[in-house]
Amino acid sequence: MVQVLLVVLVAVLAGGLLYSMAAARVVKQYERGVVLRLGRLHDAVRPPGFTMIVPGVDRLRKVNMQIVTMPVPAQDGITRDNVTVRVDAVIYFKVVDAASAVIQVEDYRFAVSQMAQTSLRSIIGKSDLDDLLSDREKLNQGLELMIDSPAVGWGVQIDRVEIKDVSLPETMKRSMARQAEADRERRARVINADAELQASKKLAQAAQQMSTQPAALQLRLLQTVVAVAAEKNSTLVLPFPVELLRFLERAQQGQEPKPPVGAGKTAPEQPADAPAADTPTADAPAVDPSVTSVTEQTFTDRPLPDAPLPDTGPEPDGVLDGVPEFDPDALPELDPEEPSDRSRTRPFTRH
């Protein structure tokens, strides 16, 4: 009888040990346990630690409550300003309701991934290229709201969504590079022009200050010479003051040219009742109209002097530039009976 009792006791202990081993479960700290008894949700969510279920009746599913980092595959899309881009992102989420994550959705990870991809494409189509490149914070918030709205019913909370990279076509990259270069060139020119304006104002003030003290220009010239001479150069550049050039120009303009000898003198006026030179009178013979000019010259054996003739002072009336005014009445009368042996200094006429 005692042996039978011992055998039964051992059998009960073995069965209890097997039952305990089959029913014992351990839920980790970052997990929650959801028990389905005969296919229905049973009791509350099991907390972390040791728990027991009914073997063959209950089924325990463990749900990870940690934050999940899921990369979103790169999506090709066309922005609102018709630029083809390729954008990828990363999403951070966690489960806040283990029962809903098990009951409401088949695979909450796959569901969140698909929702993130479709929301990312929608954001690309609603945004401009400049917004994708410069205003990503606003796009991240909009993308987070689009994914978090359906995920609330799945027991999932979206913590953060970040656009990771925006890939542009090579042609667009070159165009943007040229645009950035042109903008930098424009800013450089504006800064250079502003510097020139400020420098011109300062130079004008310096010139005005130096104009009050002429010695300041000479001191500045000496300072420039000292600065140039300090360099190890074989050639010394000496600036030439502009004021000296202006002084020479004013001095040249102040010298008026002397008038030529006899300039400004006119022939003596004849009285009103004097007969004209071309009009024949009773005492003077008529002049042949075919004669163009008559000049009286005197020949002599004396050589011409080498020195210039002395200035005898103002010329008398009737003499213009050393040549006496021609008087037709002073011509000598020709006598055909006069002998031919005359002096070599006799006058002759040229027709």
Side-chain angles (χ1 to χ4, degrees), residues 293-300 323-324 326 331-332 343-351:
S293 62
V294 179
T295 305
E296 181 179 359
Q297 296 183 359
T298 304
F299 290 90
T300 178
V323 179
F326 172 71
L331 294 176
S343 173
R344 295 178 61 184
T345 60
R346 62 184 179 86
F348 73 98
T349 59
R350 180 185 297 173
H351 296 274

Side-chain angles (χ1 to χ4, degrees), residues 92-109:
Y92 302 89
F93 67 94
K94 65 179 180 179
V95 178
V96 294
D97 189 357
S100 298
V102 175
I103 302 301
Q104 300 297 333
V105 64
E106 178 182 5
D107 186 355
Y108 66 90
R109 290 175 177 266

Side-chain angles (χ1 to χ4, degrees), residues 43-256:
D43 206 358
V45 177
R46 301 296 175 89
F50 180 80
T51 184
M52 297 290 293
I53 62 173
V54 179
V57 178
D58 295 342
R59 185 178 178 184
L60 180 66
R61 294 190 58 178
K62 299 177 182 180
V63 180
N64 193 339
M65 304 298 290
Q66 292 178 325
I67 296 177
V68 180
T69 303
M70 178 181 294
V72 181
Q75 303 296 315
D76 294 330
I78 300 177
T79 60
R80 191 167 57 180
D81 51 354
N82 298 326
V83 178
T84 303
V85 294
R86 186 179 180 88
V87 183
D88 57 350
V90 60
I91 183 172
Y92 302 89
F93 67 94
K94 65 179 180 179
V95 178
V96 294
D97 189 357
S100 298
V102 175
I103 302 301
Q104 300 297 333
V105 64
E106 178 182 5
D107 186 355
Y108 66 90
R109 290 175 177 266
F110 181 76
V112 172
S113 176
Q114 295 299 317
M115 180 58 64
Q117 295 180 28
T118 55
S119 300
L120 183 58
R121 289 184 180 181
S122 179
I123 286 294
I124 293 174
K126 294 179 181 179
S127 305
D128 295 333
L129 180 60
D130 294 339
D131 296 335
L132 288 175
L133 298 176
S134 60
D135 197 6
R136 292 189 180 183
E137 188 66 27
K138 183 179 179 180
L139 297 180
N140 294 336
Q141 294 178 0
L143 188 59
E144 180 180 347
L145 292 176
M146 293 180 66
I147 302 175
D148 189 60
S149 298
V152 173
W154 304 336
V156 177
Q157 179 183 355
I158 306 299
D159 284 348
R160 194 170 185 180
V161 180
E162 292 287 344
I163 295 177
K164 187 166 57 174
D165 188 20
V166 178
S167 300
L168 300 175
E170 293 298 329
T171 55
M172 181 59 63
K173 290 181 180 179
R174 289 193 294 268
S175 300
M176 295 178 64
R178 290 194 299 269
Q179 180 183 0
E181 184 179 359
D183 184 65
R184 291 181 179 274
E185 183 69 20
R186 178 186 62 84
R187 286 186 293 177
R189 291 185 178 181
V190 170
I191 294 174
N192 190 16
D194 190 13
E196 291 293 338
L197 177 60
Q198 295 179 5
S200 62
K201 291 181 179 179
K202 295 299 181 181
L203 289 176
Q205 295 177 3
Q208 184 179 4
Q209 186 67 23
M210 288 184 179
S211 61
T212 59
Q213 296 293 336
L217 183 61
Q218 300 297 330
L219 294 177
R220 185 57 184 167
L221 177 59
L222 295 177
Q223 292 178 359
T224 305
V225 172
V226 171
V228 174
E231 300 292 336
K232 297 181 180 180
N233 298 328
S234 58
T235 303
L236 178 61
V237 179
L238 182 62
F240 198 75
V242 182
E243 284 72 10
L244 183 57
L245 296 178
R246 294 177 180 175
F247 173 76
L248 296 177
E249 183 179 359
R250 288 194 300 267
Q252 184 178 5
Q253 292 178 357
Q255 295 179 357
E256 297 181 357

